[in-house]
Amino acid sequence: MASPKNTIVLLQTNDELNGYFFEIANGQNKLYKKVKTKFNDAVPASNSYASDKAAFFKTLDPVYYIKTEKGFIKKPRKLKDIVELFPAKKNLWRLS
């Protein structure tokens, strides 16, 4: 069983998410995904009846970027945000 190959690219997004992204789609418009992980320290027990909490890593929700000829679409949340950047293709989408 072969695993898919991921391309990792360095992007300068000029915000707190500068860094390395996974390239999901390549073409005229590119789709990038940023995966972040947060480290939570160990917490000692507050008293003798409670137990300690071990340190752990938590994977945060991924952040997506779309790179177009006009620039970056940062964190596209709604289809409407994406459609506004492609007015020529607006009639292809069903917006409610």
Side-chain angles (χ1 to χ4, degrees), residues 47-81:
N47 58 40
S48 61
Y49 293 109
S51 57
D52 296 337
K53 286 185 96 175
F56 63 96
F57 288 97
K58 181 178 180 182
T59 303
L60 303 175
D61 291 335
V63 177
Y64 293 93
Y65 276 64
I66 300 172
K67 185 176 182 183
T68 65
E69 296 169 350
K70 298 177 183 178
F72 284 103
I73 303 173
K74 299 176 182 178
K75 305 177 195 174
R77 304 237 181 222
K78 301 177 194 169
L79 180 60
K80 188 176 181 181
D81 297 340

Side-chain angles (χ1 to χ4, degrees), residues 1-31:
M1 181 177 202
S3 64
K5 294 183 180 180
N6 291 318
T7 303
I8 299 176
V9 294
L10 176 62
L11 293 180
Q12 300 298 328
T13 58
N14 299 324
D15 62 7
E16 73 278 357
L17 294 172
N18 273 341
Y20 292 95
F21 286 76
F22 289 101
E23 187 176 68
I24 306 296
N26 191 353
Q28 182 179 4
N29 299 307
K30 298 177 181 185
L31 177 63

